[in-house]
Amino acid sequence: MMDYVMAFIVGGAICAIAQSLMDIGKISQMKMMSLLVAVGAILGISGIYDRLIAIAGAGASLPITGFGYFLIKGVLVQKESNGWLAIGAGMFQFAGAILSFTIVLSFFTALICRPKG
């Protein structure tokens, strides 16, 4: 039960901080998404995000910061390999499932929903 509470608190805190920055700083949604991916990548490089995922689980890996973390995690796993191709493949080793799910979900959402334009 405590795992669920920690996931809710950490995930909610990430989203609340992002929403506060958007409201107070008048930051656009696209800039905020880019900022959160970059923050997740920076925290992943420093090792802080590993500890955050150990504490919160899905509460830390599901927000968009988790996408930046998984991109960098793939690069760090493949950094000893030879060549840029191995590093590029490593990026999508962990983030590939996220991208695939997003594309499939977007496709079915587009089939169900009507555009307003």
Side-chain angles (χ1 to χ4, degrees):
M1 181 67 177
M2 194 61 184
D3 293 337
Y4 295 117
V5 172
M6 287 306 296
F8 178 77
I9 290 172
V10 172
I14 291 170
C15 295
I17 290 169
Q19 188 64 47
S20 298
L21 287 173
M22 285 173 44
D23 291 343
I24 295 169
K26 304 294 183 204
I27 299 173
S28 70
Q29 294 172 354
M30 293 303 290
K31 289 180 182 176
M32 181 54 65
M33 281 183 21
S34 301
L35 178 67
L36 289 173
V37 170
V39 166
I42 291 168
L43 292 177
I45 290 171
S46 64
I48 295 171
Y49 215 83
D50 289 323
R51 287 181 267 160
L52 192 61
I53 287 182
I55 293 169
S61 62
L62 285 181
I64 193 77
T65 51
F67 180 68
Y69 164 74
F70 285 122
L71 284 175
I72 290 299
K73 183 176 179 180
V75 169
L76 293 176
V77 167
Q78 294 294 332
K79 71 180 180 182
E80 301 298 324
S81 298
N82 295 331
W84 289 100
L85 187 61
I87 292 174
M91 277 181 26
F92 295 105
Q93 177 181 359
F94 295 103
I98 297 168
L99 288 173
S100 299
F101 176 74
T102 304
I103 292 168
V104 170
L105 184 64
S106 299
F107 174 74
F108 285 114
T109 302
L111 289 177
I112 295 169
C113 300
R114 292 186 175 185
K116 292 184 179 182

